[in-house]
Amino acid sequence: MDGSTPTPKITVDISVLNPAKRNFIIVKSTKYDDAILIDIDPVLSRVKGKYDAETKAVNFQVGEEGLSRYEFQYRTTYGLWKDYSDDVTLGIYEPQGVTLYFRQMPGPAEKVTNPKDSGIKYGSEGKSYLKYNARYTFGGNELKVKVTRLKAAPKVNKTDLDKQAYVLKAGLEYRFGASGNRDWIQVSEPTEVYLSNEIDEIDRYYPGQFEVRCQQVEATERAAYIAPSKVMVYDYPGLRTITVKDASKIENGIVEFLPFNADTEVQELKIKKTVDRTGKVTGVEFENVSSYAYQIVVSTAGEVSEASIPFDTKLKPKNLRAGGKLKLSNAAKVCPEGSYIYVRYASVKATGDWASDYVSLGRLAYTK
């Protein structure tokens, strides 16, 4: 230690000063001839602030003059004051909405490393000059600014499980999860959004998410900007798949392929011809020995694309419940030899399972 005496510190209560006016504090030491001037600027009055939902920021102004955000601090109702810097994004408060408090930042408005002459004389003889130390400001009056709560998330009124589609009304926008397109796609009119069009074929067989929200509304001369709404997220199961195998060794088999359970290798669908007493073919019978319902389509007009079947109004699927049988009679018209057979798992409304993709079971080939 050098034995020097530490400089004493003095705390002065300045709460009695009127922050709306300019204040001066003069500090005089018995050790030095020159006094020090501390200049305290008046706080800004009639400051207005409004949240801009488009920029996610608050715009401040006094009269017609705009103010920099760097002049302000903010806090929540029970939070601490924080500087309103560039890295602050108020959009995080939009989902629930909140009232924030802002004030003009207290502290030095101008830092002076070396005190300089202020040009102000003091004393009865006016011979000494005040040393200009720094300018300061009080913390300003608190200003309440409301961050508008986002609109509620919309609901998808209808999901077409058979067409693997979400049905959306106009004014919405959507996107799929990580397995799909992550850009928001706007809907300007009632629209059906098909999994087959929006997600890669492989990814459709895995669970995913479908997100939908109301579109933003651009500002006009008469109306302010409205931010997009909250997001509604729908989880969807991956599409179930049907495995088909060569059925040439199956007794009474009349098609080229038959569905099997891929995990257990157990046949799920049995097909056989039906005949009358004379042995004439009258039709075909499907027996579902699985725990899933099927839909069956018979095309008598030739081979068709499996993907087009759900949208072809001429092809009427027949429903075959789990553990049930389905008979198609009048073979000459309904299921003549050479007809193409297509099957898929039916949709399940109770669980939200989509109908699977159709698969071809080949052609009917009745044996004599």
Side-chain angles (χ1 to χ4, degrees):
M1 298 181 63
D2 58 6
S4 60
T5 303
T7 303
K9 294 183 178 180
I10 300 175
T11 301
V12 180
D13 181 7
I14 59 174
S15 62
V16 296
L17 300 179
N18 184 353
K21 296 183 178 181
R22 189 177 184 184
N23 292 276
F24 297 95
I25 297 178
I26 299 174
V27 180
K28 180 70 172 67
S29 169
T30 57
K31 188 175 180 180
Y32 303 102
D33 293 335
D34 292 329
I36 294 175
L37 171 68
I38 299 175
D39 186 357
I40 304 178
D41 283 342
V43 298
L44 297 173
S45 60
R46 299 182 181 179
V47 177
K48 295 182 179 180
K50 187 175 182 180
Y51 180 70
D52 187 328
E54 188 169 7
T55 62
K56 313 299 180 189
V58 174
N59 297 322
F60 301 98
Q61 65 181 63
V62 174
E64 299 297 325
E65 181 182 355
L67 301 173
S68 169
R69 63 188 293 165
Y70 306 116
E71 299 181 42
F72 291 88
Q73 292 179 316
Y74 78 100
R75 66 175 177 85
T76 57
T77 302
Y78 301 106
L80 300 176
W81 288 107
K82 301 177 182 179
D83 292 348
Y84 187 29
S85 55
D86 284 333
D87 59 351
V88 175
T89 302
L90 302 182
I92 61 174
Y93 298 106
E94 287 185 336
Q96 301 301 323
V98 70
T99 296
L100 296 176
Y101 297 83
F102 291 82
R103 70 175 182 182
Q104 185 181 358
M105 186 183 299
E110 179 184 343
K111 295 181 180 179
V112 180
T113 304
N114 298 311
K116 56 185 179 180
D117 288 340
S118 65
I120 301 176
K121 295 182 179 182
Y122 80 102
S124 58
E125 298 181 2
K127 294 182 178 180
S128 300
Y129 285 88
L130 295 175
K131 292 294 184 180
Y132 185 77
N133 181 266
R135 293 174 56 235
Y136 286 82
T137 56
F138 286 107
N141 297 325
E142 291 187 1
L143 172 69
K144 290 183 179 181
V145 177
K146 185 175 182 180
V147 176
T148 307
R149 182 177 182 176
L150 293 179
K151 292 172 57 178
K155 293 183 179 180
V156 175
N157 295 327
K158 183 180 179 181
T159 303
D160 193 327
L161 298 177
D162 290 330
K163 291 183 179 180
Q164 302 171 3
Y166 290 100
V167 182
L168 304 183
K169 62 183 181 180
L172 302 182
E173 55 188 14
Y174 70 91
R175 68 182 182 185
F176 283 90
S179 61
N181 193 327
R182 294 298 295 167
D183 295 328
W184 287 104
I185 301 174
Q186 295 188 341
V187 174
S188 59
E189 58 185 18
T191 302
E192 292 183 343
V193 180
Y194 302 103
L195 294 184
S196 58
N197 293 341
E198 302 293 339
I199 302 181
D200 293 338
E201 184 175 350
I202 295 176
D203 290 330
R204 288 190 294 133
Y205 301 111
Y206 295 92
Q209 290 184 327
F210 178 74
E211 301 174 339
V212 61
R213 68 181 182 181
C214 297
Q215 298 176 20
Q216 66 182 12
V217 179
E218 299 294 344
T220 65
E221 293 183 358
R222 296 184 178 182
Y225 169 89
I226 299 177
S229 71
K230 295 181 181 178
V231 178
M232 180 66 75
V233 179
Y234 293 91
D235 294 311
Y236 60 82
L239 295 182
R240 295 164 293 164
T241 59
I242 296 177
T243 301
V244 293
K245 289 195 173 184
D246 192 344
S248 60
K249 296 181 180 180
I250 299 176
E251 186 178 357
N252 291 325
I254 56 175
V255 295
E256 297 174 4
F257 300 97
L258 286 177
F260 276 71
N261 184 301
D263 297 323
T264 63
E265 296 294 313
V266 174
Q267 182 183 346
E268 290 190 341
L269 192 62
K270 297 180 178 180
I271 307 174
K272 67 180 181 179
K273 65 184 177 182
T274 57
V275 298
D276 60 15
R277 292 179 181 180
T278 66
K280 180 181 178 181
V281 175
T282 58
V284 62
E285 180 182 274
F286 299 86
E287 181 181 1
N288 184 0
V289 294
S290 76
S291 57
Y292 303 103
Y294 270 89
Q295 285 187 314
I296 299 171
V297 167
V298 179
S299 173
T300 61
E303 191 174 11
V304 297
S305 166
E306 290 93 335
S308 68
I309 295 176
F311 309 97
D312 192 332
T313 57
K314 295 180 180 179
L315 297 175
K316 304 294 185 182
K318 305 291 184 181
N319 295 315
L320 176 57
R321 62 180 176 80
K325 294 181 179 181
L326 173 67
K327 289 183 179 181
L328 299 180
S329 302
N330 193 358
K333 292 186 62 176
V334 178
C335 49
E337 187 168 10
S339 299
Y340 285 85
I341 305 295
Y342 302 90
V343 300
R344 72 173 179 179
Y345 289 129
S347 62
V348 184
K349 187 175 182 180
T351 59
D353 284 330
W354 306 91
S356 72
D357 292 333
Y358 276 99
V359 296
S360 173
L361 299 188
R363 304 178 70 181
L364 289 174
Y366 298 122
T367 56
K368 296 182 181 179

